[in-house]
C-alpha cells in the first residue's frame, strides 16, 4: 500500500557498509519505521524517523527526507547475523500503517 | 521489557472450526494491532485498538472477529476460515497512537493452517 518501494534483495560483505533505500507516497505522512525480520520470526524495531535528518543508533542509522518521500537505513560493520529482511513501514494519517515488501540482505564472509 | 506474548505458536484448524488467537503485553501500552503475514510478503494491517476501542478495521472479512477485553489483552476470534487465510498472524503493541509513541513491538506470531 501507498507505493512503499524497497529493493528486493541486496548482498554485502562482512565488515562493509550497506545502504537500503525506501521511497513512499508523501501525502498524509506521519512517520517512518525500520524493522528487521529474520525468517520465521517477528519483526524487530530498529529505528524511527518523523523529522528530516539522520537518526543514529550504534551500527544502524536511518535518514529521512519528507519532501522527497525518501529514507534509507545504513548498516555499518556488517556482521553475518545481519542477514535478514529489512522492512520499511510508514504511518499515515488516521493511524494507517503500511509495510514495504522488504529488502532481503545477504551478508557474505 | 518489550515482550508481546502470543498463543498458540501454531494452530491447525478445519474450515468449520472456531478458534481464538491470544496476545498479551504488560508494558502499559494502550494501542494494540493485528497483522496478517503471508510467506515472503510484508505484514498487512488488519485491526487497531486504541484504549480498548476498535480504531481501525482494514476491511477484514467478518470471519475474523477481534476483541480487546482489557488494556493488556487482545484476542482474534476465528470462525469458518478459508484455506487462503493460512498465514502468520502477528500481534503488536505501542505506547499509544500519538506520534513518537507509536513504535510497535511485535509478538512472535501464531502460524495458522486452515485445512
Amino acid at each position: 500500500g501507498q507505493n512503499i518501494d524497497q529493493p528486493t534483495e541486496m548482498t554485502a560483505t562482512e565488515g562493509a557498509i550497506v545502504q537500503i533505500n525506501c521511497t513512499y507516497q508523501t501525502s498524509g505522512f506521519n512517520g517512518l519505521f525500520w524493522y528487521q525480520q529474520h525468517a520465521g520470526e517477528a519483526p524487530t524495531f530498529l529505528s524511527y524517523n518523523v523529522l528530516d535528518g539522520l537518526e543514529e543508533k550504534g551500527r544502524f542509522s536511518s535518514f529521512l527526507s519528507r519532501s522527497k518521500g525518501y529514507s534509507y537505513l545504513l548498516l555499518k560493520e556488517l556482521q553475518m547475523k545481519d542477514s535478514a529482511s529489512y522492512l520499511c513501514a510508514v504511518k499515515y494519517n488516521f493511524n494507517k500503517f503500511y509495510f514495504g515488501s522488504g529488502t532481503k540482505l545477504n551478508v557474505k564472509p | 521489557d518489550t515482550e508481546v506474548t502470543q498463543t498458540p505458536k501454531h494452530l491447525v484448524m478445519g474450515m468449520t472450526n472456531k478458534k481464538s488467537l491470544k496476545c498479551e503485553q504488560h508494558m502499559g501500552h494502550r494501542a494494540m494491532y493485528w497483522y496478517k503475514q503471508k510467506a515472503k510478503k510484508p505484514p498487512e494491517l488488519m485491526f487497531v485498538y486504541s484504549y480498548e476501542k476498535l480504531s481501525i478495521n482494514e476491511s477484514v472479512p467478518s470471519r475474523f472477529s477481534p476483541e480487546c477485553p482489557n488494556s493488556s489483552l487482545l484476542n482474534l476470534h476465528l470462525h469458518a476460515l478459508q484455506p487462503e487465510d493460512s498465514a502468520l498472524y502477528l500481534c503488536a503493541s505501542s505506547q499509544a497512537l500519538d506520534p513518537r509513541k507509536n513504535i510497535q513491538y511485535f509478538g512472535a506470531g501464531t502460524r495458522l493452517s486452515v485445512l
Side-chain angles (χ1 to χ4, degrees), chain A residues 30 33 35 37 39-45 47-51 55 87 91 94-102, chain B residues 33 35 37 40-43 45 48 55-56 58 88 90 97-100 102-109 111:
Chain A
N30 226 251
F33 305 79
Y35 284 86
Q37 188 174 28
E41 298 182 12
T44 304
F45 170 73
S47 71
Y48 171 55
N49 295 74
V50 66
L51 299 176
E55 294 278 344
L87 303 169
K91 182 187 178 188
F94 308 109
N95 302 314
K96 302 279 190 172
F97 288 90
Y98 297 100
F99 280 80
S101 296
Chain B
Y33 313 75
Y35 287 86
Q37 187 174 26
K40 300 186 178 180
K41 297 287 187 183
L45 185 65
V48 180
S55 174
I56 291 177
E58 288 281 42
L88 180 68
L90 293 165
L97 293 179
D98 306 7
R100 296 200 175 278
N102 54 195
I103 294 170
Q104 295 176 46
Y105 297 93
F106 284 82
R111 191 160 298 282

Side-chain angles (χ1 to χ4, degrees), chain A residues 30-79:
Chain A
N30 226 251
L32 186 142
F33 305 79
W34 284 96
Y35 284 86
Q36 181 192 62
Q37 188 174 28
H38 286 97
E41 298 182 12
T44 304
F45 170 73
L46 291 177
S47 71
Y48 171 55
N49 295 74
V50 66
L51 299 176
D52 291 350
L54 192 66
E55 294 278 344
E56 296 188 78
K57 287 177 79 173
R59 294 190 299 116
F60 296 85
S61 304
S62 58
F63 171 83
L64 178 68
S65 169
R66 287 172 296 170
S67 62
K68 294 181 180 177
Y70 168 70
S71 173
Y72 67 72
L73 179 70
L74 196 69
L75 293 80
K76 304 175 188 174
E77 301 168 17
L78 279 175
Q79 302 175 9

Side-chain angles (χ1 to χ4, degrees), chain A residues 5-19:
Chain A
D5 291 318
Q6 309 177 230
T8 303
E9 193 163 356
M10 299 180 72
T11 299
T13 305
E14 194 175 13
I17 299 173
V18 71
Q19 177 175 314

Side-chain angles (χ1 to χ4, degrees), chain B residues 45-103:
Chain B
L45 185 65
M46 299 174 72
F47 302 105
V48 180
Y49 272 83
S50 177
Y51 290 86
E52 295 98 72
K53 291 191 183 340
L54 184 63
S55 174
I56 291 177
N57 175 343
E58 288 281 42
S59 302
V60 179
S62 60
R63 57 186 185 268
F64 295 91
S65 175
E67 178 197 18
C68 190
N70 61 56
S71 60
S72 300
L73 292 173
L74 184 67
N75 298 323
L76 186 63
H77 302 299
L78 314 173
H79 174 54
L81 294 194
Q82 304 296 311
E84 59 264 29
D85 296 323
S86 298
L88 180 68
Y89 288 84
L90 293 165
C91 173
S93 72
S94 67
Q95 196 173 346
L97 293 179
D98 306 7
R100 296 200 175 278
K101 293 183 178 179
N102 54 195
I103 294 170

